[in-house]
Amino acid sequence: MARFDRYLLSQLVALFGFFSLVLVLVYWINRAVGLFDDLISDGQSALVFLEFSLLALPNVIRLVLPLSAFAATIYVVNRLSQESELVVMQATGFSAFRLARPVIWFGLIVALMMIVLMNLLVPASRATLSARSAEISQNATARFLRDGEFLHPADGVTLYIREVTETGELRDLLLVDDRDPARSTAYTARRALLVRTDTTPKLLMIDGSAQTLTREGRRLELTRFDDVTYDLGAFMTGSGPKRRVLEELPTMTLLAPTAEVLEETRSTRAAALYEGHSRIGQPFLGFASSLIGFAALLLGSFSRFGLWWQILFAVLLLIVVQTINVAASGVGVTDEQLWPLAYAAPVTGFAIGILLLWIGQRPRRLRRALDGIFAS
């Protein structure tokens, strides 16, 4: 690799790492605030919050890498232009395509990173996150059974526990079930245990009584018991087996979905095919965005004030490519024959970049016209 290529590539990679770190932190902090409220309010520990945050990171990184590649390319090329380094290389006879060679290497590096993320890390992290979420949702002790507080796990249900021992035994429990409009039942027990079953967790109350108030007639019934079982699944969500979604499945499974997979995920064959092909095509959005940013900034003449018009033009082109990507994702899942739309945005971005590089060096008449437009 030529010295100029190594120099430009090192600059791109360094700025790419910086912008990726900043964007990931901003996006992750925004997500972590809501995640923190949900988990801590459910009684989970800080370690669970940290685990969930780390499992969400691969998907966050996948989202910001194309923007980081674009921002790094814009920043580096603008700085090289202001310091006349890019002008010197053009004066030595380097064509636009020759100057773009390190950018192409940089785009391929970004694409390779996104391929690993989208096809390996993101599906694995989302599957693990889904499994842990289902496990947490079934953890009634962490969600509801907190001592010294009046809890309301569902509308019409009030729960109070004086003490929860280290072994998980519940002492001096009060449970009021007021969901039935015709009657209200208040359970009291000296001791209680949380028992897990194959379906839903159950509360085993020992040595207590049940007071049932019938609203019509205002009749009170008192029943003493040695032990009684109360089904917690009535007001616990997510207690059954959790279905997988397309984002958790391996790419090869999505490219050849079976009837069992479609039934489990409750998805169509078109959605599965588009998701599988998007994992192959979307990584090249980072490549296309960096190429667009570099090629757009080669248009126009040198200015000591920077290449602000070219930067705005590059941002506009990137918005166009992202719009195509969003529109294609909305249409591609409607018909299984439309899976090639997963490649529409990357191919369009790559074509725009090549066209701008061609304009950047010929024809001269068109180049002079663009110089007049972008001149400061």
Side-chain angles (χ1 to χ4, degrees):
M1 186 178 294
R3 182 175 299 179
F4 171 76
D5 293 350
R6 291 196 301 269
Y7 171 71
L8 183 55
L9 182 59
S10 65
Q11 296 291 315
L12 290 171
V13 172
L15 269 298
F16 170 72
F18 171 75
F19 283 116
S20 296
L21 179 62
V22 172
L23 291 176
V24 166
L25 285 177
V26 171
Y27 198 95
W28 178 76
I29 290 174
N30 185 44
R31 293 281 300 274
V33 170
L35 184 63
F36 181 83
D37 290 338
D38 293 339
L39 292 177
I40 299 303
S41 63
D42 282 348
Q44 305 302 323
S45 65
L47 290 178
V48 175
F49 165 73
L50 180 61
E51 178 188 4
F52 274 58
S53 300
L54 293 177
L55 288 174
L57 268 183
N59 191 52
V60 173
I61 296 174
R62 173 189 69 86
L63 294 174
V64 305
L65 284 191
L67 296 178
S68 300
F70 178 79
T73 305
I74 291 292
Y75 185 91
V76 170
V77 176
N78 184 53
R79 184 174 58 82
L80 292 179
S81 177
Q82 287 182 319
E83 297 176 358
S84 302
E85 296 180 75
L86 197 60
V87 177
V88 171
M89 298 308 300
Q90 290 175 316
T92 59
F94 274 35
S95 66
F97 287 96
R98 175 61 184 85
L99 290 172
R101 190 165 72 178
V103 179
I104 293 175
W105 281 107
F106 171 66
L108 291 176
I109 293 173
V110 175
L112 180 61
M113 294 174 62
M114 291 191 63
I115 286 175
V116 174
L117 281 169
M118 296 190 66
N119 292 275
L120 296 177
L121 298 182
V122 172
S125 64
R126 297 195 66 161
T128 305
L129 183 61
S130 178
R132 288 289 289 131
S133 299
E135 180 181 343
I136 292 297
S137 67
Q138 295 180 11
N139 190 350
T141 303
R143 293 184 62 191
F144 303 136
L145 307 185
R146 301 197 294 272
D147 52 5
E149 298 181 32
F150 282 93
L151 305 175
H152 304 278
D155 292 338
V157 177
T158 302
L159 177 65
Y160 178 83
I161 303 167
R162 182 182 64 82
E163 181 185 3
V164 179
T165 66
E166 295 181 357
T167 59
E169 181 181 351
L170 315 178
R171 294 180 178 176
D172 295 335
L173 175 142
L174 169 66
L175 176 64
V176 180
D177 189 344
D178 201 24
R179 292 174 295 172
D180 190 345
R183 54 193 298 175
S184 174
T185 303
Y187 298 90
T188 58
R190 293 183 180 274
R191 297 187 299 125
L193 297 172
L194 182 67
V195 180
R196 293 188 178 275
T197 65
D198 294 336
T199 55
T200 60
K202 299 182 183 298
L203 187 64
L204 176 62
M205 293 177 282
I206 303 171
D207 188 13
S209 63
Q211 303 178 39
T212 303
L213 175 63
T214 304
R215 291 183 171 85
E216 184 178 354
R218 308 295 295 177
R219 185 175 61 181
L220 179 65
E221 299 176 358
L222 175 63
T223 304
R224 299 188 181 275
F225 55 81
D226 292 330
D227 58 80
V228 69
T229 301
Y230 187 87
D231 187 6
L232 296 178
F235 52 82
M236 288 187 62
T237 58
S239 57
K242 183 175 177 59
R243 292 177 176 267
R244 293 187 297 174
V245 296
L246 293 178
E247 291 78 5
E248 303 172 11
L249 300 179
T251 303
M252 297 306 300
T253 302
L254 296 174
L255 295 177
T258 61
E260 292 77 11
V261 169
L262 297 179
E263 181 180 359
E264 178 188 3
T265 59
R266 295 179 179 177
S267 302
T268 62
R269 180 178 175 83
L273 288 175
Y274 188 86
E275 174 66 22
H277 284 281
S278 67
R279 295 185 184 181
I280 302 174
Q282 294 299 305
F284 291 95
L285 271 179
F287 182 14
S289 61
S290 60
L291 188 62
I292 289 175
F294 178 79
L297 265 63
L298 287 184
L299 301 177
S301 57
F302 168 76
S303 172
R304 69 177 66 182
F305 300 106
L307 305 172
W308 295 108
W309 287 109
Q310 290 90 329
I311 293 175
L312 292 177
F313 181 56
V315 172
L316 178 61
L317 291 177
L318 185 64
I319 293 175
V320 171
V321 172
Q322 290 295 336
T323 302
I324 294 174
N325 187 39
V326 173
S329 63
V331 177
V333 297
T334 60
D335 191 338
E336 61 183 83
Q337 301 299 325
L338 297 179
W339 59 261
L341 290 178
Y343 305 94
V347 171
T348 302
F350 183 76
I352 291 175
I354 294 298
L355 177 62
L356 293 179
L357 289 176
W358 179 80
I359 294 175
Q361 61 184 12
R362 64 176 185 271
R364 294 183 179 179
R365 181 177 300 177
L366 183 57
R367 175 67 182 276
R368 284 195 295 268
L370 289 172
D371 283 349
I373 295 175
F374 293 120
S376 298

